[in-house]
């Protein structure tokens, strides 16, 4: 079902501050910054090899990224795996007893269709299913 790591989502307090490390120290290129209203985040995209690092800064103190940082500090927040058909993937996960945070896909950064699996069902990792063109 899963084809590749689509991206790694990293929660940061300040996008511009964090970008210094990824751009200047790691030497990655920033290909864009996008605000995703629905997720209350500002996202910076940094492709690396066949995948991408996404830095996530909260636009709202009540947003999921702000809450994550409050509880666990900055750092890796989720792992996104690419699937071909997200509706089918959600159905398959549920069939296999995985608890879904999103039973219906929603739209994430870059217009991708996404759905999160509950970390209680995945051994502690917030897994995002991602379908994109
Ligand atoms: Zn993501």
């Amino acid at each position: 079902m899963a084809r590749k790591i689509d991206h790694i989502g990293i929660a940061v307090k300040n996008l511009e501050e964090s970008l210094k490390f990824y751009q200047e120290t790691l030497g990655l290129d920033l290909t864009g910054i996008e605000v995703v209203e629905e997720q209350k985040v500002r996202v910076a995209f940094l492709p690396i090899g066949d995948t991408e690092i996404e830095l996530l800064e909260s636009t709202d103190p009540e947003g999921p990224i702000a809450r994550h940082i409050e509880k666990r500090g900055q750092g890796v927040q989720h792992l996104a795996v690419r699937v071909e058909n997200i509706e089918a993937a959600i159905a398959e996960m549920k069939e296999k007893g995985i608890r879904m945070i999103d039973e219906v896909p929603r739209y994430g950064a870059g217009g991708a269709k996404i759905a999160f699996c509950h970390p209680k069902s995945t051994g502690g990792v917030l897994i995002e299913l991602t379908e994109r063109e």
Side-chain angles (χ1 to χ4, degrees):
M1 172 179 26
R3 299 284 174 235
K4 59 173 270 193
I5 301 291
D6 188 81
H7 62 272
I8 299 158
I10 299 175
V12 303
K13 285 184 186 163
N14 181 297
L15 218 48
E16 279 65 29
E17 270 306 304
S18 295
L19 276 171
K20 283 184 202 158
F21 171 76
Y22 291 94
Q23 289 183 281
E24 290 165 26
T25 311
L26 283 185
L28 300 179
D29 290 323
L30 173 68
T31 56
I33 291 181
E34 180 187 333
V35 172
V36 184
E37 294 290 351
E38 200 189 315
Q39 311 279 335
K40 300 187 169 79
V41 284
R42 201 156 70 95
V43 188
F45 303 97
L46 301 128
I48 177 165
D50 194 27
T51 188
E52 197 166 61
I53 289 175
E54 289 188 7
L55 302 180
L56 311 161
E57 176 196 79
S58 192
T59 57
D60 183 320
E62 299 301 314
I65 294 302
R67 290 202 311 262
H68 175 91
I69 290 173
E70 220 167 84
K71 274 205 275 190
R72 303 190 185 185
Q74 301 189 97
V76 173
Q77 199 257 350
H78 68 269
L79 192 64
V81 297
R82 177 88 60 92
V83 297
E84 267 164 33
N85 179 325
I86 197 157
E87 285 84 4
I90 292 170
E92 193 177 332
M93 294 298 259
K94 285 169 69 182
E95 226 174 79
K96 291 175 174 169
I98 302 300
R99 197 169 130 201
M100 297 300 299
I101 292 172
D102 303 302
E103 302 212 342
V104 174
R106 45 186 170 149
Y107 285 94
K113 282 159 91 179
I114 66 168
F116 285 100
C117 308
H118 201 285
K120 284 209 167 111
S121 291
T122 63
V125 181
L126 179 59
I127 302 278
E128 174 190 321
L129 307 175
T130 306
E131 177 193 323
R132 54 173 101 233
E133 300 298 299

